[in-house]
Amino acid sequence: MIPYGRQAISEADIEAVVRVLRSDWLTQGPEVPAFEKTVAEYCGARHAVAANSGTSALHLACLALGVGPGDVVWTSAITFAASANCALYCGARADFVDIDPRTFNMSVDALAAKLERAEAAGELPKVVIPVHLCGQPCEMEAIHALGRKYGFRILEDASHAIGARYRGAPIGNCRYSDIAVFSFHPVKVITTGEGGMATTNDPALAKRMQLLRTHGITRDAEDMTRPPDGPWYYEQVALGFNYRMTDVHAALGSSQMRRVDEFVAARRRMAARYGDLLSGLPVQTPWQRPDAASAWHLYVIRLKLQEIGRSHRDVFEAMRKAEVGVNLHYIPVYRQPYYATLGACGDGCPEAERYYREALTLPLFPELGQERQEAVVKALRGACS
Ligand SMILES: *Cc1c(COP(=O)(O)O)cnc(C)c1O
């Protein structure tokens, strides 16, 4: 089976990990701050806070933004559940904005219309979480302008998007948001095994995320409520978690960061090749915004089912039978039974529904290569006829 995504590990990556295993520090050593500095500099953000997963980083970000019971957080209808779960962890509610049929990202028109209705009902969101689906940046400037108008904060779920660029600048620089979060799961653009990172330009948000990442415990006298009892003294000043990344993972991350642009370039080349190979097939290939460059985490096509004469499910099953690990990213989150009981997306998401009936993720990862891409397209031609 050709997987839909897969890590690319070099000898240098392995050496970086082994070096840490031979050192004194497996966790809370020098590798995590070094990795944070690398990512912050790469993105052009002032601060970066590593965590043991993208999901943990999203949770820390929501907490730092003050999300709590009584609040509502909005995200895109088509995303991984973690983009919404992070709000629920804080005791808030989640609701969903319909997608743009061209980019599959949160639709700015749908967002604006929903905000108008929410304002009338007195239920404006505290935080909006745009997701750069497949690695393609959202319309951040427009979302930022709506944030100003309606007073919500912005958390970018950039799990798919390290290495992407928006208006000539890297995603993660937080020019149009409060915080951006990356994931380093093995299928993502770079990996640490499991891991995540939040970037921000706001030192108070960075400090809050650092505190909550490690139990809410501080050793900084400045942040304490009482004078120290002695040199051993520390204080727990909030209820935090153990969301720390280990030095082993961070060393892998720093090593992978050396090749992030190479990975994205390889993905972009293969996406262009898919574009050529798929021409003439009854599918819609991914449309790209002219003012952005995707990190190409995923290559999602939409089936023109009225031209195919076979069902979405038939095509999916035929591909799997042909040993091609196609996937569907994602089931609209509000369709999940857990969310359905919470009554999310009451006003409907017709574009997300249409997407769910037609979308198919083809394999894309740096070491996929031309031959396997041709095999994927050959299988798809067979599956569609
Ligand atoms: C992968 C992913 C996450 C979660 O990241 P983990 O590192 O797996 O916890 C969150 N949001 C989206 C959109 C993702 O794809």
Side-chain angles (χ1 to χ4, degrees), residues 319-335:
M319 292 298 278
R320 284 283 180 95
K321 215 166 166 189
E323 297 283 306
V324 180
V326 289
N327 224 305
L328 206 170
H329 297 96
Y330 297 91
I331 303 166
V333 181
Y334 57 78
R335 275 180 165 256

Side-chain angles (χ1 to χ4, degrees), residues 53-55 58 79-80 82-83 131 157 159-160 183 185 188 195 330:
S53 72
T55 303
L58 285 168
T79 184
F80 183 55
S83 312
V131 183
D157 184 340
S159 292
H160 298 184
S183 164
H185 181 278
K188 307 285 164 77
Y330 297 91

